[in-house]
Amino acid sequence: METGSVTTPFGRRSMTFGMLANQVMAGEIKPDQSVDKWKLFRALCEAKPLLGIGDRALAVLNALLSFYPKNELAQENGLVVFPSNIQLSLRTHGMAEQTVRRHLAALVEAGLLLRKDSPNGKRYVRRDRAGEVDEAFGFSLAPLLARAEEIEQLAAAVMAERLHVQRLRERITLCRRDIAKLIEAAVEEEIPGDWQGLYCEFRDLIEGLPRSPTTAQLELLLDELTALRTDILNRLEIRVKSTKQRGNADYIERHIQNSNPESTSELEPSFETKQGAIAEHDNDRGAVAPEKGRGEAAYPHGQKKEEEQSRRPDVRNDGGGLKSFPLGLVLQACPEILAYGPNGAIRNWRDLMAAAVIVRSMLGVSPSAYEEAANVMGPENAATVMACILERGGHINSAGGYLRGLTRRSEKGEFAIGPMLMALLRANAPAGRKVG
């Protein structure tokens, strides 16, 4: 039998202790031991990272297995195959013979093959009178049979690790989504807190991950993201509890507008984002007029401003159902529009709307397109959108067509300004830190 004695390599190749150990191991195969060669090969493909072999070495091994006449690797069937390098080259789809020899050496080095060299180094077989193999010289597959159980265990470990990494990535994706949307919701609702700082921390964690992270790095990132999400949730829960104590259950769905006439703060009210989320008493779009200095819409049907404020003191309907944002946030996301304000500055919403008219003309947006946007979105939101279009001018071919498209989407309740502002905040972040 080919595993009954130790053989040394032909020619200049020297004998190593590893070769001897592999031959001793191959000699310990149980007489009744067998394994399906293709099932074992699939396990080898899974376990290749732990075995130190590559795809091309596996292609050569696949060719060798194809020369084995039986599907079951067993000692009683003989375990030596003896194809020439030319035949191997053909079955590896034209791989160069020199490359074939290199990968055969790699398989021997990995302990998956044994060389059984003839006296002259050629691969051939001697048969008896009945045509049965008497003695063969070539490559022994005995190490594969001897290590079959080990290879299957390695393959199972690789698959378990892959599944673990896949689940880690899924959980990281969920954490990223939760953090980004919670911060965006907090910014839209103008909940007090350093949300920009938290978002910077979030982006630093994501961008600090290498292109090909290890399992340990993914586990660490998941722990850090989970802690950050917990911190954000705790802040929001504290706000929710304090809101309930004040008896204002509607706070979580809309922004509270400061109605103090003596206040000098420039806060913009928020609006429902879902289509049709207009108060029942507002039967017509544009039925509620903005505050002085924030637009020119009228109050039809004899409705009075005091009556509307008593019904919904914290929400103003601009007709499009869009949430509005603080002026400071808009200017931080769209700094280019500052140059078009009166005297090169924008101090209030009236200045922003005046600058938007100039930008509208400069970008070639027709008066009708801008007027329609103002009617649908509200004058302040329309000015905000014009500031965003100016900021992204290099990426928009037709500003007028783009604005009309946003107007149509706004009419259907399919457009929100928040994601656009958040993206511009990230793009305009200071060097080394992305904000948004």
Side-chain angles (χ1 to χ4, degrees):
M1 292 184 296
E2 66 273 9
T3 57
S5 60
V6 173
T7 61
T8 56
F10 170 78
R12 298 180 181 179
R13 292 190 297 269
S14 59
M15 183 68 176
T16 65
F17 184 77
M19 293 180 184
L20 180 61
N22 288 336
Q23 292 189 39
V24 171
M25 176 188 61
E28 297 175 353
I29 297 174
K30 298 176 183 179
D32 59 344
Q33 185 175 351
S34 65
V35 64
D36 185 287
K37 64 179 182 180
W38 298 123
K39 181 180 178 181
L40 182 60
F41 180 74
R42 287 192 292 271
L44 276 167
C45 292
E46 292 286 352
K48 66 179 181 179
L50 300 181
L51 293 170
I53 55 175
D55 296 338
R56 307 201 76 184
L58 284 173
V60 173
L61 181 59
N62 179 78
L64 283 173
L65 288 174
S66 69
F67 284 100
Y68 190 76
K70 306 287 185 179
N71 280 334
E72 292 286 324
L73 285 177
Q75 188 167 324
E76 62 182 11
N77 297 330
L79 293 171
V80 175
V81 289
F82 39 87
S84 67
N85 286 342
I86 294 177
Q87 291 173 316
L88 286 174
S89 177
L90 291 174
R91 293 207 183 179
T92 53
H93 307 287
M95 186 182 295
E97 290 186 37
Q98 184 178 1
T99 305
V100 169
R101 287 194 293 270
R102 185 170 69 252
H103 290 301
L104 285 171
L107 290 169
V108 172
E109 183 69 21
L112 299 176
L113 291 180
L114 283 178
R115 293 182 184 273
K116 187 179 179 183
D117 288 342
S118 65
N120 62 2
K122 301 294 183 180
R123 300 170 205 156
Y124 58 87
V125 62
R126 287 200 183 98
R127 301 182 184 272
D128 56 21
R129 292 184 177 180
E132 298 295 329
V133 174
D134 182 32
E135 188 172 15
F137 297 96
F139 291 100
S140 173
L141 303 175
L144 290 177
L145 182 58
R147 298 180 63 183
E149 184 176 353
E150 175 197 352
I151 290 170
E152 290 174 354
Q153 290 176 350
L154 291 175
V158 170
M159 288 188 285
E161 177 71 7
R162 184 186 302 126
L163 181 60
H164 177 55
V165 170
Q166 179 182 350
R167 289 176 176 171
L168 282 175
R169 290 184 179 276
E170 288 174 351
R171 294 173 64 188
I172 288 172
T173 298
L174 291 175
C175 269
R176 290 180 61 175
R177 184 180 70 192
D178 291 348
I179 291 171
K181 289 186 177 292
L182 287 171
I183 292 177
E184 182 179 349
V187 171
E188 288 184 359
E189 301 295 340
E190 292 188 11
I191 297 175
D194 184 17
W195 303 113
Q196 182 175 332
L198 288 172
Y199 192 85
C200 288
E201 180 181 349
F202 166 57
R203 294 307 309 172
D204 287 344
L205 290 176
I206 299 302
E207 292 166 6
L209 192 68
R211 182 180 295 272
S212 300
T214 64
T215 303
Q217 289 171 328
L218 289 174
E219 290 173 344
L220 178 60
L221 176 63
L222 178 60
D223 290 341
E224 292 173 334
L225 289 177
T226 301
L228 181 59
R229 180 177 61 181
T230 301
D231 181 24
I232 294 171
L233 283 173
N234 288 339
R235 297 183 187 214
L236 294 178
E237 286 174 2
I238 291 173
R239 188 66 180 180
V240 169
K241 291 177 182 178
S242 65
T243 301
K244 287 183 178 180
Q245 290 174 356
R246 294 196 305 268
N248 186 4
D250 291 336
Y251 184 86
I252 59 175
E253 294 187 6
R254 61 180 184 256
H255 166 69
I256 295 181
Q257 179 183 359
N258 183 4
S259 59
N260 182 3
E262 297 180 358
S263 173
T264 58
S265 61
E266 284 289 347
L267 296 179
E268 174 147 4
S270 62
F271 295 84
E272 302 293 340
T273 57
K274 294 184 179 178
Q275 184 177 4
I278 304 176
E280 293 181 359
H281 60 276
D282 293 334
N283 294 323
D284 299 317
R285 283 189 173 177
V288 182
E291 295 177 8
K292 184 178 181 181
R294 292 195 175 185
E296 301 300 333
Y299 287 86
H301 311 300
Q303 293 172 325
K304 296 182 180 180
K305 181 176 180 181
E306 291 77 14
E307 179 184 354
E308 295 301 328
Q309 288 181 338
S310 66
R311 291 178 180 176
R312 299 189 69 184
D314 56 345
V315 175
R316 179 169 56 81
N317 181 12
D318 279 334
L322 290 179
K323 285 182 177 293
S324 296
F325 292 84
L327 178 62
L329 180 66
V330 174
L331 296 180
Q332 185 179 0
C334 310
E336 288 191 16
I337 201 167
L338 288 169
Y340 299 92
N343 299 320
I346 294 178
R347 293 171 292 275
N348 50 47
W349 282 104
R350 182 177 296 175
D351 290 348
L352 179 64
M353 287 186 282
V357 172
I358 298 175
V359 170
R360 188 269 310 159
S361 176
M362 181 187 71
L363 295 180
V365 177
S366 66
S368 61
Y370 185 71
E371 182 179 358
E372 183 181 9
N375 290 336
V376 173
M377 302 179 186
E380 296 168 357
N381 284 329
T384 300
V385 171
M386 283 306 307
C388 293
I389 292 176
L390 174 65
E391 202 69 28
R392 300 185 63 232
H395 304 281
I396 299 173
N397 294 329
S398 173
Y402 186 73
L403 180 61
R404 288 189 185 274
L406 297 183
T407 303
R408 298 286 82 78
R409 290 174 56 193
S410 182
E411 283 183 323
K412 298 176 183 179
E414 298 174 352
F415 171 62
I417 299 177
M420 182 184 294
L421 286 176
M422 298 295 280
L424 291 174
L425 277 172
R426 285 195 299 269
N428 292 325
R433 298 180 70 87
K434 291 187 177 180
V435 182

